Amino acid sequence: MAHDLETALLRAFVSSVRSGSISRAAAALGHSQPALSNQLRRLERTVGQRLLHRGTTGVSLTKSGEIFLPYAERILALSAQGLAAAGPVVTGHCGVGLMEDFVTPSLVEALSDFSGLHPGAKLELVTGSGPLMKQSLAEGRIQLALCDPFYLAEAPRWTARLPLAWSAARTLDLRQDPLPLVLFSQPCRWRIPVFDALEAAGIRWDVVFESTALGAVQAAARAGLGATALLPANVEPGTATDELPALPEVEIALTRHTGTDGDPLLDAVENLLRRLTDLTAATG
């Protein structure tokens, strides 16, 4: 008998993996821990394989879970993208500015699928710092920007709060004094809440590696150079940790170039970004 994969179960699984803890995932999704645990068991029964190792320090992926995770993320992203793309066919050009942190595989795949469904629409992606987003909007190179609202001259159309999560190699001793950190280079205002959380817990820190590229930050953390704070979607499997102080949420905002209200293409892309942002917040 064939079984369907429920998106609610997939969201419970992805959230648990990215947060490294069933209790944190339950809090992020607004469920009780027993309810989320039940969803995970239902998913494992549907798949027919154990997907997670559960322990006192959190959860980690089984071999089957490692194989299944990208499919689960893909299905969730396609669900969000399908809702955004179900409207009328759109054409034209749309420049989209994204902060580096938000360029996840799921987002890139969703935008690629959107282009495939609307061959008359051309999407141009620009990634970079907040000041670059501000400049690109002013020059008209991009019509939509999703980044830290601090850098936006235009009033945001909407904002969202996203969680940050710690990522560190299993080989890294998190009791080091000072704690080595891997962070995005300046200007990055998300560094401040990381420093504040550590200082409030009495933990000294030292920035040992900085980069403007997400891949470089992930690679440095994976190699054990230091701990880093990322959006949960960018925390690589096996690197989530709850041994460091909880991190606060950060704010992102979307704005559009003046005079683009009512543009069907921009409306469709904005709706897609909103749904993907909501998905990121829900699976944090």
Side-chain angles (χ1 to χ4, degrees):
M1 178 180 176
H3 297 284
D4 293 329
L5 292 171
E6 299 179 34
T7 55
L9 305 186
L10 296 177
R11 190 169 289 108
F13 169 65
V14 173
S15 182
S16 297
V17 172
R18 292 309 181 192
S19 65
S21 164
I22 293 177
S23 60
R24 285 208 302 270
L29 293 172
H31 299 327
S32 67
Q33 185 171 335
L36 190 66
S37 295
N38 183 55
Q39 286 186 314
L40 294 172
R41 286 192 293 269
R42 285 175 55 198
L43 179 62
E44 290 178 326
R45 287 197 299 269
T46 299
V47 175
Q49 298 288 337
R50 187 176 183 185
L51 301 174
L52 294 173
H53 294 299
R54 297 161 175 81
T56 56
T57 59
V59 296
S60 60
L61 288 166
T62 64
K63 185 63 178 178
S64 295
E66 291 178 1
I67 296 172
F68 185 71
L69 178 61
Y71 292 98
E73 293 179 320
R74 179 73 165 147
I75 292 169
L76 290 173
L78 280 173
S79 175
Q81 185 235 344
L83 292 172
V89 175
V90 292
T91 60
H93 172 271
C94 178
V96 183
L98 299 169
M99 58 185 183
E100 178 80 14
D101 314 51
F102 207 69
V103 185
T104 63
S106 296
L107 181 139
V108 173
E109 290 170 353
L111 291 176
S112 175
D113 290 338
F114 181 90
S115 295
L117 287 170
H118 302 288
K122 178 182 177 182
L123 299 183
E124 177 187 359
L125 300 185
V126 177
T127 63
S129 64
L132 176 62
M133 295 298 100
K134 182 178 181 180
Q135 178 182 350
S136 297
L137 271 172
E139 294 174 349
R141 181 183 178 187
I142 60 175
Q143 288 73 51
L144 294 171
L146 184 62
C147 67
D148 185 336
F150 176 81
Y151 298 105
L152 299 177
E154 302 285 342
R157 292 173 66 89
W158 48 263
T159 63
R161 299 197 64 82
L162 303 179
L164 288 177
W166 288 106
S167 174
R170 298 299 188 201
T171 56
L172 180 67
D173 182 2
L174 298 177
R175 296 167 296 179
Q176 292 183 61
D177 185 14
L179 176 71
L181 294 179
V182 171
L183 297 175
F184 283 95
S185 305
Q186 296 281 25
C188 175
R189 297 200 321 132
W190 293 4
R191 295 159 59 110
I192 302 302
V194 173
F195 298 154
D196 289 345
L198 292 173
E199 291 176 357
I203 298 175
R204 298 197 306 160
W205 48 267
D206 181 30
V207 179
V208 299
F209 182 91
E210 298 178 80
S211 176
T212 59
L214 172 62
V217 170
Q218 290 173 316
R222 189 190 321 123
L225 292 183
T228 189
L230 300 169
L231 295 177
N234 292 325
V235 175
E236 297 182 306
T239 67
T241 178
D242 58 1
E243 297 181 40
L244 293 172
L247 293 167
E249 293 180 328
V250 293
E251 187 177 38
I252 65 168
L254 182 133
T255 192
R256 284 169 61 155
H257 193 274
T258 303
T260 61
D261 286 347
D263 184 295
L265 173 57
L266 269 65
D267 288 347
V269 176
E270 180 183 342
N271 288 337
L272 174 57
L273 292 175
R274 183 62 186 265
R275 289 189 172 94
L276 290 171
T277 300
D278 291 343
L279 175 62
T280 300
T283 56

